[in-house]
Amino acid sequence: MTTPHAPAPGSPALPLATLLADPELGLEQIAGPVDDRLIGTAGTTEVEDPAPYLIGGELLLTAGVRLPRTAEGIDDYVRGVVGAGAAALGFGVAPVYDEVPPDLVLACGRHGLPLLRVPVATPFVAIGRSLYGAMAEASTRDLRQVSQAQSGLASAAARPDAMPAVLQQLSAHLAAWTVLVDAHGRELFSAGPRPEPAVRRQLLDLAVRTMARSRHTGAGRTQPPPTAAAEHHAGGRLTVHTLPGREGVAGPLVVGIAAAAAPTVVHRSVTGVATVLLSLLTSPRHALGTDAAGAGALVRLMLGASPAEVAPALLPAGAPPGGRWVVVHGHRSRPQAGRTATSDGDPVQLAALGTALGTSYLDLDGDALRALVPGGHGVEAEAEAAARLGWTLGFSPPVATVDLPIADTQAERALRRALARREPVVRHRTDEQSVHGIVDAADASALARTRFAPLDNAASPGPAVLLETLRTWLSLQGSWDQSAAALQVHRNTVRHRIGRVAELLGADLQDPDLRMELWFALRWLPGERPVAAAADGAGAADRP
């Protein structure tokens, strides 16, 4: 049995079942396989051997005027038609034959060619008109679907969470699981129902193998990997599409799709739009946020303006005056094999992190990250997305521009606690709904200065180091090992410093009430409270 030639990709085509379902035609399949083969055109012929005139995918219509009269001749006729790639044969009864010849029925069954009985009342031209009318209707429907999908993808690309939003739109239109994968097979973002682990592994492996097919061609040039690749699995079809336009970027990206069926023309078109959008979203220009407002702010800052003066140019459009910021510190907890950290940052990582955190103000230095998130609200909701990219993160609370140095310290401490506790995300806790929110700011600050005055003249390592060690030790519930990890010193060094603090303060640090008192006082030392909040008086600290 020979498989019929499918119509050329992108050519209009309809399943044979569409014509069989048209009641006005009255067609009946009387032989051959019942499957979903596509019909690209309908043509009438009465030549003895039509094979040389076929291109594949046809519904061949004949009344049998020159049909051979012997069983052997009919068998040769059908074999030639099948070999030329015809999709089906329609036989019109009358005026030559009163009924479809039995030898033709047997030959079509033997060679796997669908045979349709065309009744007397159905002219061949009506079949062609029905086929092309249905094709036009299907084409209009496809264009409408593509237009709707493009609109949805464009809207998704304009969102702060652009990359996951584009993947979600792609997943919805393809009814498939979609994933953005880096050159090492790591899943950056995904959307849609997750398939079985074996299917995911096969798709990620296909992505890695496809990207690995890029090769050096000499003279410093690299031939890009294939634009797409596909494989079957037990439940459907896997495809990967490399993102275009990534010359000079450290490692390509691909979009992976796990679907239950082969892609249609609409699916291919929608996927093409999505890959172009994702390529733009992961480009170095987008990742680094090279917009006019940001460039202008940088110039003003370098020429002497204060951060508070240039900050409004960096805030989102429509943000209220005095907008707030969240500072993020991060450490890459799962380094990528085969990728060398560079001080100027990896654009792929910048784009992925910027999308997850909703900001383009990123500083990626090897495995260390610092970021400024304008607006101040909602960034914590995206923290898990950034953590899934292999980062451990510490977040400050939202602060005014004048308090960014304090927020920077808070984010750094939060990251230290996250690393020590082996937690993906730690947020610096604000004073809302706590005792800090109801005390008098002046009295609390005076108490803190008095309580820690004995440390002011401490010998090496000095009061600042002793206070930071105490703060870290208290924040980690007195754990020597976690404190040593957070401070990056030996646990005996922590023990020695805490012993020195206890000696200078004349305090028993095993007393939980005293620990609570010291923790409270630490929060009110100079440089620990936001300036903008302190100016508002008691209870205003860290208020969004």
Side-chain angles (χ1 to χ4, degrees), residues 29 139 196 363:
Q29 183 171 348
S139 178
E196 294 295 324
D363 176 26

Side-chain angles (χ1 to χ4, degrees), residues 83-258:
L89 178 65
F91 193 89
V93 297
V96 181
Y97 289 87
D98 294 332
E99 193 50 72
V100 181
D103 288 336
L104 183 60
V105 175
L106 293 175
C108 287
R110 186 161 47 247
H111 293 288
L113 180 66
L115 175 61
L116 311 186
R117 181 185 184 276
V118 182
V120 177
T122 301
F124 288 168
V125 68
I127 298 175
R129 185 169 55 207
S130 176
L131 174 66
Y132 300 128
M135 284 181 177
E137 182 179 339
S139 178
T140 300
R141 183 172 60 250
D142 290 350
L143 288 174
R144 184 163 54 248
Q145 292 177 1
V146 170
S147 177
Q148 292 171 349
Q150 288 176 342
S151 177
L153 289 168
S155 298
R159 289 175 46 169
D161 57 339
M163 277 190 275
V166 168
L167 285 175
Q168 185 61 54
Q169 283 289 321
L170 182 60
S171 172
H173 287 287
L174 302 187
W177 183 61
T178 58
V179 59
L180 185 65
V181 184
D182 68 9
H184 303 283
R186 190 174 64 175
E187 179 182 325
L188 301 179
F189 297 99
S190 65
R194 295 180 70 83
E196 294 295 324
V199 176
R200 297 200 302 271
R201 286 194 298 270
Q202 184 180 350
L203 181 60
L204 297 180
D205 180 65
L206 175 61
V208 172
R209 286 187 282 111
T210 302
M211 287 184 282
R213 291 170 63 185
S214 62
R215 60 186 179 87
H216 294 285
T217 58
R221 297 180 180 179
T222 300
Q223 180 174 319
T227 58
E231 285 183 355
H232 291 278
H233 68 92
R237 184 178 176 90
L238 307 176
T239 57
V240 295
H241 303 266
T242 56
L243 298 189
R246 301 192 54 76
E247 293 81 359
V249 178
L253 297 178
V254 300
V255 178
I257 301 169

